[in-house]
């Protein structure tokens, strides 16, 4: 009989490794990159803890060298998706009954492996499969460990919360998982989010059916294998790469879907919300829908802003990971009085950015994730009245090793206007010394330009200011 009171200390964020020349982590990662680049991994479905192989497969390629196949991934269909739901529901009762500290031990062990010997495996697969530079992969994988450690700690803090009692009455509260399964649909751009979406509900005692992004299949598969190695019981998380239409038809429509955990496009999340709402009477519960969707981040600079940090923030916010983060900067609103200095630095630093192979550790930008993403960027034309558009990226890279895509060439500064790199400023007046009314008008212009270019959600964005903190407060309140 267990009667001890278990506690988990509040974790700290995992520190990043530097991968400096001559460092042991650099040598180990270089070796792992070479190993993974030299093989083609066969990725099965994992349903009820067992590998399931299907006739339908897709190639997993390096985005920066898309003729280089690094994996063949099985795709689930109707039969496999229904089996995954059944496996999750079959595992539910035993997983719920497992003491929370035993569940937590599995994920804490996984976190220790991620920050230890498994770090190079996830870093390398994220670099090769998602075209992340060494730094971008490193911060991604460190965040995955953070998700696990903070997840179990937050679960503990939730379990601690109990109702107040009065004389003669002792009120107590147990926390139970949802009655059904969680459908987790994860994106390509963060391995950490891919791992967290099915795992966070599992920490609380839920079971998941996980559809990873087909363009992040390799890193996500390695993470799933790690969870199994760390003792995750069969069926708690079921790994089923598949078409989005199939997950909608066979999983989201299932009466026992109790929750939907998602990161991706606004359009997809809205379609799921609509599907669930129109069929709400068919569900055993009211499904919980939790999602994060893309936004149109911008930087709004105050006339007092320090020029060098402002230019650096614009460049890093716009071009790290090829502008594919959900927090990527898509616009910068810069006062005309400081624009010449900002423009000079933007052109100087952007011209020096190295676009290339992620296996070269001085690369700043690699390739966008796939042909569809590249097409959408090159086809987007940013226009707004009274705004001047500056494209600060010198090319959009699809395949710089073997340029065989004639319809998607590398684009020069004069040839491409990509939404992720549009730098806009108010051309009608300078903000310096202007009354608040003009500042508010300019901010509303910023908001309207975001809406007109397809943005349906504005993520809280950045305000660059010097020694006028009140300006930042007013800006935030206005937006």
């Amino acid at each position: 009989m267990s009667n001890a009171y278990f506690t988990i200390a509040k974790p700290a964020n995992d520190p990043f490794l530097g991968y400096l020349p001559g460092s042991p982590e650099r040598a180990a990662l270089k070796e792992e990159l070479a190993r993974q680049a030299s093989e083609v991994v066969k990725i099965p479905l994992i349903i009820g803890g067992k590998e399931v192989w299907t006739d339908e497969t897709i190639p997993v390629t390096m985005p920066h060298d898309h003729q280089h196949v690094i994996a063949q991934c099985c795709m689930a269909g109707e039969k496999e998706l229904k089996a995954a739901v059944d496996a999750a529901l079959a595992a539910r009762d035993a997983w719920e009954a497992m003491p929370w500290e035993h569940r937590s031990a599995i994920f804490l062990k996984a976190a220790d492996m991620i920050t230890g010997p498994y770090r190079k495996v996830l870093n390398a697969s994220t670099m090769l499969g998602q075209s992340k530079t060494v730094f971008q992969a490193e911060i991604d994988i460190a965040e995955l460990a953070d998700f696990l450690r903070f997840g179990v700690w937050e679960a503990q803090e939730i379990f601690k919360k109990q109702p107040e009692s009065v004389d003669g009455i002792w009120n107590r509260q147990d926390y139970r998982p949802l009655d059904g399964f969680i459908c987790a649909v994860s994106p390509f751009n963060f391995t950490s989010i891919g791992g967290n979406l099915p795992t966070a509900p599992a920490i609380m005692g839920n079971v998941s059916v996980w559809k990873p992004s087909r363009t992040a299949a390799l890193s996500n598969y390695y993470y799933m294998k790690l969870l199994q190695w760390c003792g995750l019981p069969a069926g708690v998380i079921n790994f089923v790469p598949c078409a989005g239409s199939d997950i909608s038809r066979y999983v989201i429509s299932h009466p026992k879907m109790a929750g939907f955990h998602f990161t991706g496009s606004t359009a997809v999340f809205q379609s799921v919300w609509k599907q669930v709402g129109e069929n709400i009477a068919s569900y055993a519960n009211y499904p919980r829908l939790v999602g994060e969707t893309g936004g149109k981040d911008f930087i709004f600079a105050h006339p007092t802003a320090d020029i060098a940090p402002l230019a650096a923030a614009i460049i890093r916010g716009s071009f790290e990971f090829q502008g594919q983060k959900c927090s990527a900067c898509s616009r910068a609103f810069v006062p005309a009085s400081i624009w010449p200095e900002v423009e000079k630095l933007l052109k100087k630093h952007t011209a020096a950015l190295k676009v290339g192979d992620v296996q070269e550790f001085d690369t700043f930008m690699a390739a966008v994730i796939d042909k569809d993403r590249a097409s959408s960027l090159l086809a987007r034309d940013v226009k707004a009245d009274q705004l001047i558009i500056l494209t600060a990226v010198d090319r959009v890279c699809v395949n710089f090793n073997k340029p065989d895509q004639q319809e998607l060439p590398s684009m020069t500064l004069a040839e491409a206007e990509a939404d992720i790199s549009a730098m806009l400023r108010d051309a009608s007046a300078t903000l310096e010394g202007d009354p608040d009314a003009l500042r508010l008008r300019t901010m509303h212009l910023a908001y309207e330009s975001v809406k007109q270019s397809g943005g349906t959600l504005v993520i809280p964005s950045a305000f660059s200011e010097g020694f006028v903190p009140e300006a930042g407060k007013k800006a935030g309140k206005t937006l």
Side-chain angles (χ1 to χ4, degrees), residues 125-198:
S125 56
T126 299
M127 292 171 69
L128 298 178
Q130 289 138 271
S131 210
K132 287 200 170 187
T133 64
V134 61
F135 175 71
Q136 295 300 316
E138 170 66 14
I139 62 177
D140 190 356
I141 301 310
E143 185 176 21
L144 177 56
D146 290 347
F147 272 137
L148 294 171
R149 289 170 176 152
F150 279 94
V152 298
W153 179 78
E154 290 286 0
Q156 169 190 259
E157 297 306 295
I158 290 173
F159 297 150
K160 284 181 180 179
K161 296 177 182 177
Q162 294 293 316
E164 294 184 4
S165 299
V166 296
D167 290 344
I169 300 176
W170 181 16
N171 293 319
R172 293 178 295 166
Q173 178 171 279
D174 284 324
Y175 293 83
R176 56 189 298 269
L178 301 179
D179 184 15
F181 69 91
I182 306 299
C183 174
V185 177
S186 59
F188 77 87
N189 57 345
F190 282 97
T191 303
S192 55
I193 297 177
N196 186 57
L197 292 188

Side-chain angles (χ1 to χ4, degrees), residues 135-136 190 295-299 308-332 346 349-350 353 364-365 373 392-393 419-423 459 461-462:
F135 175 71
Q136 295 300 316
F190 282 97
K296 296 287 183 180
D297 266 3
F298 58 86
I299 293 175
L310 172 61
I314 292 173
I315 291 172
R316 293 190 63 181
S318 301
F319 306 131
E320 284 186 330
F321 191 38
Q322 298 76 263
Q324 296 174 119
K325 296 182 181 181
C326 50
S327 58
C329 172
S330 60
R331 289 165 182 78
L346 288 179
H349 294 319
T350 306
L353 298 182
F364 185 86
M365 289 176 63
R373 175 68 176 171
V393 68
D419 181 56
I420 57 166
S421 59
M423 303 301 157
I459 300 176
S461 297

Side-chain angles (χ1 to χ4, degrees), residues 3 64 140 153 159 169 182 217 234 245 291 308 318 332 354 357 366 380 396 401 464:
N3 57 12
H64 49 280
D140 190 356
W153 179 78
F159 297 150
I169 300 176
I182 306 299
S245 57
S318 301
K354 179 180 177 180
D357 191 330
R380 194 174 292 265
V396 177
N401 285 338
S464 179

Side-chain angles (χ1 to χ4, degrees), residues 288-301:
R288 278 69 162 177
L289 309 180
V290 179
E292 177 195 3
T293 63
K296 296 287 183 180
D297 266 3
F298 58 86
I299 293 175
F300 195 99

Side-chain angles (χ1 to χ4, degrees), residues 57 87 148 173 210 227 241 300 315 403 428 470:
T57 63
L148 294 171
Q173 178 171 279
W210 176 22
L227 291 179
F300 195 99
I315 291 172
S428 61
E470 192 63 28

Side-chain angles (χ1 to χ4, degrees), residues 381-443:
D381 185 19
V382 183
K383 295 180 179 178
D385 292 339
Q386 303 180 44
L387 295 176
I388 295 177
I389 300 173
L390 166 71
T391 302
V393 68
D394 61 350
R395 65 184 66 86
V396 177
C397 177
V398 178
N399 181 3
F400 46 80
N401 285 338
K402 301 180 180 66
D404 59 351
Q405 298 292 331
Q406 296 302 316
E407 70 276 19
L408 291 174
S410 294
M411 306 299 289
T412 67
L413 175 60
E415 295 169 332
E417 285 185 353
D419 181 56
I420 57 166
S421 59
M423 303 301 157
L424 294 87
R425 68 179 175 92
D426 183 17
S428 61
T430 161
L431 294 180
E432 194 163 12
D434 287 345
D436 283 344
L438 178 56
R439 215 183 318 272
L440 298 183
R441 183 188 68 75
T442 307
M443 296 181 71

